[in-house]
Amino acid sequence: MIKNLVFLTLFLFLFSCKTEVPQPPVDKKAIIDSTITAFQKTLLEQQIDSVFKKYNFNGSIAVFKDSLPLYRKENGYSDFKRKIKIDSNTVFAIGSISKQFTAVLVLLQMEQGKLNVTDKVSKYIKEFQIKEYENITIHQLLNHTSGLNMTGGKLMFKSGSDFFYSNDGFNTLGKIVEKASGKSYDDNILELFKKAGMTHSSTGDIFKGTHFASAYLGTAFNFQEVPNMPKRLGGKDIGTPAGGVLSTIQDLHTWNNALYGGKILKPETLQQFMAKSAERRHAIFGKMGYAYGIMLNIGKPNSYFHSGYVKGSPSLNIYYPDTKTSVIILSNISDEGKGKGLVFKPHIEVKKITDNLENILAQLKSGH
C-alpha cells in the first residue's frame, strides 16, 4: 500500500509541475481524478480480495464512489443445500441496518407535522403511560438514551443520562410511525423504498421474491440453516423496525445516495438525522458517535455507518460523505460458536481498508 501511495503521490506532483514546453490544453483535473480512481480500484481489489481469501468469505462486498463502482465481488452460496450461488440480485437480511430506515420514517412524520422528536412517547404509546417511562422522548429512542431495555421492564438508567442499545426502543418507534401515519409499518417502508428508488427491498413479513439468501450457522462445510427465515424477523424477538429489513447491495447503494444526497429528507432534517447526540462503546467496532439509528466515526475519516446482525446474517453499511463513497458488506452465514468478534473480522478489516483509503485521499486533496 505504501509503495502504491508513493507512486501515486509522485505522479500527481510531476503532473502538477509547470513545464516550459507549450502544450495543447488538457483537463488536468480529469486526468488526476482518473488516476486516483485507478489507484483506488487497484488498491481495493488487492486488499479486499485478500479478505475474501483469508476468511473464505461467503457473501457480497461492494464499494461505490457516487454512481461509479470501484469494487464488487460475490462469493459462495445463497442456498448451501441447493448450491445456488450469490449474485447481484441476492437479497440479504440486513439486521440493525434497518434502524436507519425506521429513524427516517419517524423524521418524515415530523416533516409532515404529525409528531416532534421532543414529544413524550406516552403521547402515542399506551404502554409508556406509566411513571417509570413518563420522561422518555422520541429523541431518546432514536439515539438509545432512553434507558429502555425491554418494554415493560425497569429502565437501565434515568432517561437521557446514558446510552443503552435497545431493539425494543426501535420497535416502539415503528409503532409511533403507525400511530402518526395511520398506516402499517410495512406500508410506510414500502413507500420509502419507492421514494429512494429501491426496487428489490422488502421486510421479512411481506417478502415474496425468489432471490433471498437463506441464513446459516456454522461454516460452509458444516452448516445449519436458520429456520423460518425471513418471517422470523418480524417476530417479537427481533421486530421489523429494529432488524427486519431485507435488501441488496445495489439497493443499499441507491439508499445511501438518495439519503445523503438530500432526496429523502429536507436539509435541516437530514442534519438532525446525522448529528451526533450520544456515544456508544461497540463491542466490536469500539468507541463511536451515535445519531438517529446511525453510527459515526470519532475522528477521521468522516463516515456514517451501521452494522447489522440477525442469526447467520452479519452486515455492514458505510457512507463516506466527503467522497460520496458507499461500502456495503452482506453475508448469510456466521460461525457463532467463535463469537461475534470473529464473525465480524472480515467487516472490520474492510472498514479499516476503506477508512485508510479515505484518509489517504484526504491527504492527497489537501496537498493539491
Side-chain angles (χ1 to χ4, degrees), residues 53 111 192 243 317 330 341 368:
K53 185 176 181 180
E111 288 186 346
L192 179 56
N317 181 30
L330 302 176
H368 295 274

Side-chain angles (χ1 to χ4, degrees), residues 126-143:
K126 185 178 180 180
E127 291 89 339
F128 281 68
Q129 294 171 359
I130 58 174
K131 187 167 182 61
E132 179 82 2
Y133 294 173
E134 64 183 356
N135 294 316
I136 296 177
T137 64
I138 293 174
H139 165 81
Q140 292 166 351
L141 294 183
L142 285 164
N143 68 359

Side-chain angles (χ1 to χ4, degrees), residues 127-343:
E127 291 89 339
F128 281 68
Q129 294 171 359
I130 58 174
K131 187 167 182 61
E132 179 82 2
Y133 294 173
E134 64 183 356
N135 294 316
I136 296 177
T137 64
I138 293 174
H139 165 81
Q140 292 166 351
L141 294 183
L142 285 164
N143 68 359
H144 299 288
T145 59
S146 70
L148 186 72
N149 181 7
M150 297 181 67
T151 304
K154 187 174 176 61
L155 295 183
M156 306 293 290
F157 47 79
K158 181 182 177 182
S159 298
S161 66
D162 205 343
F163 182 98
F164 186 83
Y165 192 82
S166 173
N167 282 329
D168 270 16
F170 264 78
N171 287 325
T172 300
L173 289 170
K175 293 177 182 177
I176 292 173
V177 168
E178 292 182 328
K179 183 86 170 179
S181 67
K183 294 182 291 188
S184 71
Y185 182 88
D186 284 332
D187 284 345
N188 276 282
I189 202 167
L190 286 176
E191 288 179 9
L192 179 56
F193 292 153
K194 185 176 181 180
K195 184 174 184 178
M198 301 167 70
T199 56
H200 294 91
S201 296
S202 185
T203 70
D205 283 332
I206 60 175
F207 179 72
K208 292 184 173 65
T210 57
H211 292 93
F212 179 68
S214 300
Y216 300 90
L217 299 177
T219 69
F221 309 104
N222 184 20
F223 57 83
Q224 178 183 357
E225 186 172 357
V226 177
N228 198 29
M229 283 288 283
K231 290 289 185 185
R232 69 179 294 268
L233 300 176
K236 63 181 181 179
D237 289 342
I238 300 170
T240 300
V245 172
L246 312 177
S247 196
T248 65
I249 288 281
Q250 186 59 50
D251 267 12
L252 287 175
H253 169 228
T254 299
W255 166 251
N256 287 346
N257 283 354
L259 175 62
Y260 297 105
K263 296 177 182 177
I264 306 296
L265 298 170
K266 295 175 182 178
E268 61 272 21
T269 313
L270 180 59
Q271 288 303 313
Q272 194 171 2
F273 168 81
M274 298 187 300
K276 176 189 169 188
S277 54
E279 284 193 358
R280 179 185 187 185
R281 290 193 176 275
H282 196 284
I284 296 165
F285 292 94
K287 186 178 179 181
M288 63 196 62
Y290 207 94
Y292 283 176
I294 202 78
M295 300 187 282
L296 300 78
N297 270 356
I298 292 180
K300 298 296 182 181
N302 295 325
S303 75
Y304 303 100
F305 64 100
H306 212 293
S307 56
Y309 187 79
V310 290
K311 277 188 177 297
S313 301
S315 57
L316 182 64
N317 181 30
I318 311 171
Y319 185 78
Y320 297 100
D322 295 344
T323 58
K324 300 179 180 178
T325 298
S326 291
V327 180
I328 303 156
I329 309 170
L330 302 176
S331 181
N332 65 322
I333 188 168
S334 64
D335 194 352
E336 282 191 348
K338 293 183 177 179
K340 285 187 182 177
L342 287 176
V343 165

